[in-house]
Amino acid sequence: MSSLSSDRAAALAEEQRNLDRIYRHLDDLRDIARGRLDAVRLTGGGTPEARSQRDASARRHAGRLAQLEAVEQGLCFGRLDETLHIGRIGLHDTDPPLLIDWRAPAARPFYVATAISPHGISRRRHIRTRDRLVVDVDDEILDPERATATTVTGEAALLAALTANRTGRMRDIVETIQAEQDRVIRADLGGVLVVQGGPGTGKTAVALHRAAYLLYTHREQLSARGVLIIGPNATFLRYISQVLPSLAETGVLLATPGDLFPGIAAERQEPPATAEIKGRAAMVEILEGSVRDRERVPDSPVRISVDRQDLLLTPQAVEVARTRARSSGRLHNLARPIFEEAVLESLAAQMAERIGHDPFWADPLGEEDALTSDNVLDDADLADIRADLADDPAVQAVLDELWPVLTPQRLLTDLFASDAALASAAPRLTPRERELLYRSPGDFSPADVPLLDEAAELLGEDDRAARLAAARELRKRLAYAQGVLDITAGSKSYELEDDDEAAIPNAADVMEADMLAERYRDRESLSAAERAVTDRNWMFGHVIVDEAQELSPMMWRLLMRRCPSRSMTVVGDLDQTGALGAAGSWADVFGPYVQDRWRLAELTVSYRTPAEIMAYTGRLLPAITLPRPVRAAGVEPWESTGDPRDLVRHAVDEVGDGRLAVIVPASRLAELTAVLPGLSTDDLEQPAVLLTVAEAKGLEFDSVIVIDPDTIVAESPRGTADLYVALTRSTHRLGVIYAGRNEV
């Protein structure tokens, strides 16, 4: 055996011994966590406080067990010098530590050390494993005398990861993070960090690993408020869903822009031109106008019949009520009680004048200006009249017509379903633009979500019904608690001293303790991400936005409300912008919120897209500045005008165990779905999928076929950007089928 082979065998054996020791310790920790969880679950009922503590302990132990089980694969992947092993989690309860968490400061040289700047280490070892077996090691000797200006760290491990077949789910890159990516991942928490990078530069992976790093570094701060990650669509979220769990992080909320208004499934399809109008910042003024239009003054007196009395509500009285309500400064729904009170005062005065007149009254002085009134009703009587009027259905119907309590859903539905309402609230839009907004009542689209959120901010929440329900629940609990205490007191021996009576708590004490414990238990049993799902007013500790170039000004307003601290990581590529109305520069996006106080980081190296595909893309789209590819695939892109069915079938066979995406124009999706029935349209784990450009955004595949690129360009005002996206999804092979006489 050669010396080189002998050294390699010794290194493999050494790392296998280390790995065995690490996994034994991991198994011990799992057994401990599992035992503690089982013990907590076997604990009995007890007091409400004890139950809440039990639930909190169970959640803590279950979370720890989930973390330990999530890191089974690829637990240890690196080593610095002789003893410092790097892995997915830290195992620090030994001396020396068995494993250093990849996010710890001590692990950073694994990602950034070079021969020119070795960061105090002399050797970096990459360890490749399969299950619990070491299959390969690769050593880098960081010798300053042999320093080169390399840009790739751990080239063998990186190339192995890049050339491996895709699985339909994104893998983490924790073993192969490159220096320029590491700088982004470990950047400071505060402020807006914009990460600009072309196709294949790892923007999405960097964003996800940054989430894991921030949760590790700022655990206490972020676990309380949570981290929100925004992706372009549900397919994309499924694609990335396993990355953070594989890094032992589960307390993150993944959402699309359409998920950000609780209780609404925003799935309605609409033309891009309609979505563009809804995304304009001018929609704020339109929604404000729509709210004002719902605070009406009638053109003529309104007749209201109450107890066989006809009352007249004059426009002047309504104008006074509206002015009083608006001048209060309260939001629409919260100002309704003020409007209602003023209207009821006017109606009650009319009613009192009719029913309170004393027919036998006479001015004792015979003077017209006498101070004595002929009305026998006092203030208490007037209050009773106002209360009766408030309960009258006819009065409430008029109030609802003049100043309705509105939900965001109703405001938006009524606005878009009425030509007159649109003309009044949006006079600056052209007739064609108002026509695009008009629609019959129904579901909501993703572009409606920021409008619903803005409407909620303008309307305010009328919580009177909820408070009344809470009061009824309070009375019911109080009565139940008093009944329990009455039974307890009745069972007490009459021989007890009177002083012992004071030891029995009252019903309010018992009920309050029970309710507080219940609220505490509910709060402790849910993570920040779980609580945020149902709370529109939740404010996150950090927000990460992927494909950020696609978001409209209205969506940015929503996200800024969700993150008032402006602690954000924004990932995107302006050259890949496909949405109409999206900003032309990052300064346009963030200027209104943080002026020039945002940071830009650029990723310049494409790891996914091979040199052959990048060169082909450059020939088709010469105006775009492309990232620099780090590798070649050895396969040139091909073009054809043949039958898509035969070509796709051949490509599926050629890919083998890999994944193929067929990317088509949105306008031809139904047609091509019919002639390519073997392709899935949403399951990325299938061998081949059929997607539009919008659906393929952010994804990667072993092979890609783009059908009818000319239509992709022609059907969108941003068609060049769409074609750029389509051409750069592949890690290995690219085919382009042009429309021609042989195409079906």
Side-chain angles (χ1 to χ4, degrees):
M1 179 182 294
S2 69
S3 174
L4 184 61
S5 298
S6 177
D7 290 344
R8 178 178 175 78
L12 288 170
E14 179 189 17
E15 295 304 341
Q16 186 63 59
R17 288 192 296 272
N18 287 327
L19 190 65
D20 291 342
R21 187 162 52 249
I22 291 170
Y23 272 109
R24 281 197 300 271
H25 193 67
L26 178 70
D27 290 338
D28 290 342
L29 292 176
R30 286 173 176 170
D31 290 341
I32 292 171
R34 193 175 292 110
R36 289 174 176 171
L37 178 60
D38 292 342
V40 168
R41 287 173 172 170
L42 291 173
T43 304
T47 66
E49 182 179 4
R51 293 198 300 271
S52 67
Q53 291 175 348
R54 179 196 63 194
D55 292 345
S57 295
R59 180 175 184 83
R60 185 170 62 255
H61 295 315
R64 177 58 173 164
L65 182 59
Q67 286 182 326
L68 295 172
E69 290 179 339
V71 296
E72 174 67 24
Q73 296 297 324
L75 174 60
C76 174
F77 52 79
R79 175 173 165 177
L80 296 175
D81 288 335
E82 298 307 315
T83 59
L84 202 62
H85 282 82
I86 312 298
R88 294 176 179 275
I89 61 172
L91 300 177
H92 300 136
D93 51 344
T94 60
D95 188 18
L98 282 175
L99 202 60
I100 301 297
D101 193 298
W102 67 274
R103 298 165 287 189
R108 194 176 189 199
F110 183 77
Y111 299 109
V112 300
T114 64
I116 296 175
S117 179
H119 286 258
I121 66 169
S122 58
R123 183 180 68 174
R124 171 172 48 216
R125 171 173 287 177
H126 291 266
I127 304 168
R128 293 177 57 197
T129 63
R130 184 182 305 115
D131 298 325
R132 297 190 173 195
L133 179 68
V134 176
V135 297
D136 198 7
V137 295
D138 179 42
D139 285 342
E140 294 177 87
I141 306 302
L142 303 179
D143 183 356
E145 295 183 2
R146 294 185 290 172
T148 59
T150 181
T151 60
V152 177
T153 298
E155 184 172 1
L158 176 63
L159 292 178
L162 294 175
T163 57
N165 285 336
R166 307 298 98 178
T167 64
R169 295 292 184 97
M170 174 177 273
R171 299 185 181 99
D172 64 71
I173 61 168
V174 66
E175 302 176 30
T176 59
I177 294 170
Q178 299 300 298
E180 71 169 6
Q181 298 171 329
D182 185 80
R183 284 191 291 272
V184 173
I185 290 170
R186 297 176 191 263
D188 292 341
L189 171 66
V192 176
L193 174 64
V194 178
V195 184
Q196 165 79 31
T201 55
K203 299 184 299 297
T204 298
V206 164
L208 295 171
H209 287 68
R210 176 161 169 76
Y213 171 78
L214 292 176
L215 284 165
Y216 173 85
T217 309
H218 306 278
R219 177 75 63 190
E220 184 174 350
Q221 177 181 349
L222 293 182
S223 61
R225 301 307 311 167
V227 174
L228 171 66
I229 297 180
I230 299 294
N233 53 58
T235 300
F236 177 86
L237 294 186
R238 288 195 299 272
Y239 175 65
I240 68 171
S241 62
Q242 298 304 311
V243 173
L244 282 167
S246 75
L247 300 174
E249 295 294 348
T250 56
V252 172
L253 178 60
L254 301 179
T256 70
D259 297 330
L260 294 179
F261 194 86
I264 294 296
E267 299 175 346
R268 184 170 185 153
Q269 300 297 311
E270 62 187 1
T274 300
E276 185 273 324
I277 298 170
K278 291 179 178 180
R280 296 177 188 173
M283 286 301 302
V284 175
E285 182 180 341
I286 292 171
L287 291 173
E288 290 172 344
S290 180
V291 173
R292 286 194 302 271
D293 287 345
R294 304 305 293 269
E295 301 165 356
R296 293 185 51 244
V297 173
D299 296 328
S300 58
V302 178
R303 187 179 301 276
I304 308 173
S305 295
V306 179
D307 291 338
R308 295 182 298 226
Q309 296 283 339
D310 284 343
L311 305 178
L312 285 181
L313 182 60
T314 66
Q316 294 79 8
V318 177
E319 182 64 52
V320 168
R322 184 172 73 171
T323 299
R324 187 187 301 178
R326 285 179 172 176
S327 63
S328 71
R330 297 183 183 181
L331 300 175
H332 172 86
N333 286 336
L334 305 183
R336 159 68 183 254
I338 298 174
F339 176 82
E340 184 173 324
E341 180 182 29
V343 169
L344 292 175
E345 285 177 1
S346 175
L347 295 176
Q350 290 183 50
M351 182 69 78
E353 186 177 346
R354 296 184 187 182
I355 67 175
H357 174 68
D358 182 357
F360 300 103
W361 179 89
D363 183 350
L365 301 179
E367 299 176 359
E368 292 182 2
D369 295 332
L371 298 177
T372 307
S373 171
D374 67 344
N375 200 302
V376 299
L377 302 181
D378 58 17
D379 289 343
D381 296 322
L382 287 173
D384 289 340
I385 292 174
R386 287 195 297 271
D388 290 340
L389 289 170
D391 290 336
D392 189 277
V395 174
Q396 283 298 319
V398 171
L399 290 169
D400 288 342
E401 176 64 24
L402 299 177
W403 194 295
V405 174
L406 295 168
T407 64
Q409 295 92 317
R410 180 181 170 190
L411 179 73
L412 224 61
T413 296
D414 292 350
L415 172 64
F416 293 152
S418 168
D419 289 327
L422 282 168
S424 176
R428 296 185 183 181
L429 294 183
T430 67
R432 172 56 183 162
E433 288 172 329
R434 291 197 293 270
E435 182 182 347
L436 284 169
L437 290 178
Y438 178 85
R439 72 177 189 209
S440 58
D443 297 333
F444 294 95
S445 72
D448 289 325
V449 166
L451 304 186
L452 291 168
D453 197 73
E454 192 73 35
E457 293 291 311
L458 294 171
L459 294 171
E461 183 179 359
D462 179 23
D463 63 348
R464 287 178 294 172
R467 285 189 281 111
L468 287 173
R472 286 194 295 269
E473 178 67 15
L474 182 67
R475 289 193 296 271
K476 186 169 75 172
R477 286 173 177 261
L478 184 59
Y480 175 80
Q482 187 62 60
V484 172
L485 291 174
D486 288 344
I487 294 172
T488 303
S491 302
K492 183 177 70 71
S493 171
Y494 65 87
E495 296 177 351
L496 292 176
E497 296 293 333
D498 290 342
D499 287 346
D500 290 336
E501 302 260 352
I504 300 177
N506 62 48
D509 291 337
V510 174
M511 178 271 301
E512 182 179 7
D514 179 67
M515 292 180 69
L516 285 173
E518 182 175 301
R519 287 197 292 271
Y520 175 80
R521 183 167 65 251
D522 290 343
R523 184 168 62 249
E524 288 297 309
S525 64
L526 296 176
S527 68
E530 290 167 332
R531 297 198 300 275
V533 169
T534 59
D535 187 352
R536 190 192 70 82
N537 295 307
W538 190 270
M539 291 178 287
F540 289 90
H542 193 77
V543 172
I544 294 176
V545 185
D546 205 343
E547 300 295 342
Q549 75 277 358
E550 304 296 337
L551 300 192
S552 70
M554 288 302 295
M555 182 54 71
W556 282 115
R557 283 178 63 88
L558 182 156
L559 290 178
M560 292 299 170
R561 283 193 288 269
R562 295 293 191 276
C563 191
S565 67
R566 306 294 190 259
S567 179
M568 291 183 166
T569 302
V570 174
V571 180
D573 179 14
L574 294 173
D575 284 335
Q576 296 184 68
T577 303
L580 291 173
S585 72
W586 298 119
D588 292 341
V589 172
F590 298 110
Y593 303 104
V594 296
Q595 288 77 52
D596 59 354
R597 299 187 306 276
W598 55 275
R599 298 165 288 159
L600 177 66
E602 294 193 71
L603 300 177
T604 60
V605 178
S606 179
Y607 304 98
R608 176 186 68 222
T609 310
E612 295 89 346
I613 294 178
M614 203 64 84
Y616 178 82
T617 302
R619 291 193 295 272
L620 289 185
L621 306 171
I624 294 177
T625 301
L626 303 174
R628 177 168 53 86
V630 77
R631 66 187 178 92
V635 181
E636 291 293 333
W638 53 265
E639 296 178 349
S640 176
T641 56
D643 187 327
R645 287 175 292 192
D646 294 336
L647 294 169
V648 168
R649 189 180 304 115
H650 174 72
V652 171
D653 293 338
E654 194 174 78
V655 172
D657 294 333
R659 297 293 182 274
L660 167 71
V662 179
I663 301 177
V664 303
S667 60
R668 300 190 61 187
L669 179 62
E671 167 203 349
L672 291 168
T673 299
V675 300
L676 299 170
L679 275 62
S680 170
T681 56
D682 59 0
D683 186 354
L684 299 181
E685 297 185 68
Q686 293 299 312
V689 292
L690 184 69
L691 303 169
T692 65
V693 174
E695 293 167 338
K697 206 173 273 285
L699 308 181
E700 63 180 39
F701 305 89
D702 299 288
S703 298
V704 168
I705 295 177
V706 179
I707 295 182
D708 197 357
D710 294 333
T711 299
I712 288 177
V713 173
E715 71 181 7
S716 168
R718 295 185 182 271
T720 299
D722 287 347
L723 183 58
Y724 183 36
V725 171
L727 294 173
T728 54
R729 298 303 95 199
S730 175
T731 65
H732 195 60
R733 300 179 180 85
L734 172 67
V736 179
I737 301 177
Y738 286 88
R741 64 179 182 274
N742 294 325
E743 186 183 344
V744 175

